[in-house]
Amino acid sequence: MPGKRVVLTGVGTVGAPLARFVAGMPEVGALTLIDHDLYTESNWAGAAQEISRADIGKPKAQVVAARVRKIRRDLKVDALVSRVEHVPSGRLAADVHICCGDNRPVRAACSEAAFRRGTPVLIDAGVRREHLMARATIYFPATPGAACHLCGWGPADWEAYAASYTCNGAVGVPATGSPAHLSAMAASMAAELCLQYLRGDARPQAEARQLVYSAELHRAWETTIRRNRDCRFDHGQWIISRLGVNPERYSLGEALEEFGGPLAVPGMAFAHRLRCGSCGRSREVLALAARMPPWQRRCPACGEEAVSGPLDLLHEIDTSTAQCIGAGTRERSLAELGLLRGDVLRCGRGYIELGGRSIGKEVPR
Amino acid sequence: MKDLVRDGFLRSMFEHGMAYAAQSDIFRLEPCMGDPPFAYACHFAAPCYVRRPSGEIALHEGGFTIGIAFPPDYLRLPVVPSQAVLQFIQPVEVWHPNVRWPFICIGRIAPGTDLLELVLRCYELTTFQRKANPTEWDALNPEACRWARSRWPVEPACRLPLKHRRLAPERQP
């Protein structure tokens, strides 16, 4: 069954070798690599990945994608330099989503995306320095009653989740400091789980299977994770209508009328005001805060970067909001607001994927 | 798609917040958006430290205002960072290790943390009744952090408790 689509989030010490393993699987026809990070001196010094000095400063996703393309020329490889939370949901549509993120917020986001889209398989791989442990877990989000990644989290995990962020808002997780061969072990375990599923040897089940290997103790375990009744995630799946709407040609006013408001992009907020922390001036805008380019953020008065606080954010837009924000707002295209093909909108008609493969009915203009 | 649990939480926050504000002459709560409100402007009639254009650090007697907005996932996920809920509105020149206008960091916020707890933490932190972030590497304002460390412990800008009411003794004829 050629042509399976795999999404790989995080191409660090685990994800980079895993990308090569996945690329070598003949069952895979398309591979999407997602990572917002750039290679730094520490990556090179660790020699954990096959990178050269010339790669320092380049996006990890692009470097790994270029390497993977050399392995198989017929493989369709995409590289997205972005946080997975900000990637249009449609770009995460896959048969297998593999998460090799180094922090809990990324893993939680991958798990949520896989459940919302009904991705058949989610694989999560990682390493821990304690007892030199490599781990790979396979989840079946499309199976009724399936456990999610958050089902296995206890209070300590939530504490670590909160501790992932520093006071200045950055995700500041210290490097695991695990040896490269341990990362390769985690990548191998994840690759084997992926291959088992692609070959039809892994039957979808509600329980997640977790493989753990300790290089220090020379022991391996297989455990299962069942759905946790107290899980903070609702495990809901979106029913998404894919419409051939081009966000560049579709205006906010048309979307509000056709789709029925209020409109929201789940997981993201619209900034309606930017405040300059340097000169204190503020101005009205309307765009997805996470996708606002630096030039749009720049304060016209002093040139410094302007930001939006929580009171400057809108989690949904309705007709009255669009009128309040300023003349001409309704005429602006969805692309001008930061929406991309593949974004999923929550609206009066349910969930709509923009610029989808036109499986659903075209919205009449 | 109404979230009844969230609406109930917001309604209860509104009632408790307004009742508390009615008992204080330092604190005033102003709902900003939504019904039930999910965003508030909290006005504090208490001094705070500011940096004047000359560079001098001085007490600002005109009070300060902090905004609070509850995001859609507030009851489910820990709020990280706290800038996703809190916003310093004025004065713009506020001087504090945990504040870089318009952001304020009060540490971790557990899911469903009460509005009044947020208000109290913001008030105590801004007036230095509560210890500010002493580590420069993750302070929002490292310069203010250095300033605070140089005069540790910083003299609180206001020592009054938030639930404060001035006595108005009845005059006997």
Side-chain angles (χ1 to χ4, degrees), chain A residues 17-223:
Chain A
L18 183 53
R20 289 205 305 275
F21 299 153
V22 171
M25 296 175 189
E27 292 84 356
V28 178
L31 176 62
T32 302
L33 305 174
I34 303 169
D35 202 315
H36 75 282
D37 220 354
L38 308 177
Y39 277 120
T40 60
E41 285 281 351
S42 64
N43 297 119
W44 186 73
Q49 299 142 62
E50 297 162 17
I51 60 164
S52 64
R53 257 225 176 271
D55 293 330
I56 293 169
K58 290 182 184 170
K60 288 180 178 178
Q62 288 178 357
V63 171
V64 176
R67 202 175 305 143
V68 160
R69 283 188 193 107
K70 287 178 190 163
I71 296 173
R72 256 180 69 192
R73 296 208 179 273
D74 61 324
L75 183 70
K76 187 177 178 297
V77 184
D78 283 334
L80 303 178
V81 184
S82 166
R83 290 188 179 279
V84 68
E85 300 94 316
H86 304 158
V87 169
S89 174
R91 303 291 297 269
L92 301 176
D95 298 291
V96 180
H97 187 157
I98 307 176
C99 175
C100 300
D102 62 354
N103 59 71
R104 283 175 174 78
V106 168
R107 288 188 215 132
C110 288
S111 175
E112 179 161 351
F115 272 78
R116 294 300 189 211
R117 292 205 67 92
T119 306
V121 166
L122 168 72
I123 296 171
D124 186 272
V127 290
R128 290 185 74 165
R129 196 169 169 75
E130 299 87 51
H131 303 301
L132 296 176
M133 288 208 282
R135 169 191 60 78
T137 316
I138 184 166
Y139 303 87
F140 300 93
T143 307
C148 75
H149 186 68
L150 304 188
C151 285
W153 281 16
D157 292 289
W158 284 108
E159 186 69 20
Y161 174 92
S164 305
Y165 291 86
T166 58
C167 198
N168 57 23
V171 180
V173 182
T176 55
S178 303
H181 63 267
L182 195 66
S183 303
M185 170 66 80
S188 306
M189 289 158 70
E192 182 55 32
L193 287 174
C194 180
L195 196 58
Q196 279 180 14
Y197 171 73
L198 293 175
R199 287 184 175 163
D201 298 336
R203 197 166 48 85
Q205 57 185 45
E207 290 89 12
R209 278 174 59 208
Q210 185 173 52
L211 311 175
V212 182
Y213 171 73
S214 165
E216 186 184 295
L217 305 174
H218 293 290
R219 283 190 64 186
W221 298 267
E222 180 175 351
T223 57

Side-chain angles (χ1 to χ4, degrees), chain B residues 35-116:
Chain B
D35 181 25
F38 64 84
Y40 297 89
C42 308
H43 305 278
F44 299 92
C48 66
Y49 286 100
V50 291
R51 181 153 80 165
R52 304 240 183 265
S54 61
E56 177 204 2
I57 312 299
L59 272 181
H60 171 77
E61 298 287 347
F64 58 94
T65 306
I66 289 173
I68 297 178
F70 297 112
D73 267 349
Y74 187 69
L75 296 180
R76 189 167 74 86
L77 297 175
V79 178
V80 279
S82 60
Q83 292 99 296
V85 169
L86 304 168
Q87 174 175 340
F88 208 96
I89 297 176
Q90 65 92 15
V92 175
E93 309 83 19
V94 61
W95 186 249
H96 194 284
N98 292 47
V99 183
R100 188 183 62 219
W101 191 87
F103 296 132
I104 172 168
C105 176
I106 62 166
R108 291 175 206 164
I109 299 175
T113 300
D114 198 277
L115 169 71
L116 289 175

Side-chain angles (χ1 to χ4, degrees), chain B:
Chain B
M1 280 180 276
K2 272 254 178 210
D3 185 342
L4 297 177
V5 176
R6 184 169 189 266
D7 279 5
F9 169 80
L10 293 176
R11 200 161 286 117
S12 133
M13 290 300 101
F14 172 70
E15 286 163 7
H16 291 151
M18 296 310 274
Y20 190 95
Q23 295 172 47
S24 170
D25 54 8
I26 292 180
F27 168 54
R28 188 163 59 83
L29 189 64
E30 182 190 340
C32 294
M33 286 186 273
D35 181 25
F38 64 84
Y40 297 89
C42 308
H43 305 278
F44 299 92
C48 66
Y49 286 100
V50 291
R51 181 153 80 165
R52 304 240 183 265
S54 61
E56 177 204 2
I57 312 299
L59 272 181
H60 171 77
E61 298 287 347
F64 58 94
T65 306
I66 289 173
I68 297 178
F70 297 112
D73 267 349
Y74 187 69
L75 296 180
R76 189 167 74 86
L77 297 175
V79 178
V80 279
S82 60
Q83 292 99 296
V85 169
L86 304 168
Q87 174 175 340
F88 208 96
I89 297 176
Q90 65 92 15
V92 175
E93 309 83 19
V94 61
W95 186 249
H96 194 284
N98 292 47
V99 183
R100 188 183 62 219
W101 191 87
F103 296 132
I104 172 168
C105 176
I106 62 166
R108 291 175 206 164
I109 299 175
T113 300
D114 198 277
L115 169 71
L116 289 175
E117 190 184 325
L118 296 178
V119 167
L120 196 62
R121 279 164 70 177
C122 287
Y123 171 72
E124 291 181 348
L125 192 76
T126 310
T127 55
F128 281 96
Q129 289 182 26
R130 185 184 282 254
K131 204 172 85 173
N133 188 347
T135 51
E136 282 173 43
W137 68 272
D138 76 335
L140 273 178
N141 186 344
E143 212 182 327
C145 188
R146 276 193 293 279
W147 170 85
R149 283 168 69 105
S150 69
R151 60 196 64 222
W152 206 265
V154 180
E155 177 71 15
C158 176
R159 289 185 185 277
L160 295 174
L162 188 59
K163 204 171 186 175
H164 175 267
R165 213 150 175 69
R166 285 191 188 89
L167 289 174
E170 288 179 18
R171 287 190 176 180
Q172 296 296 326

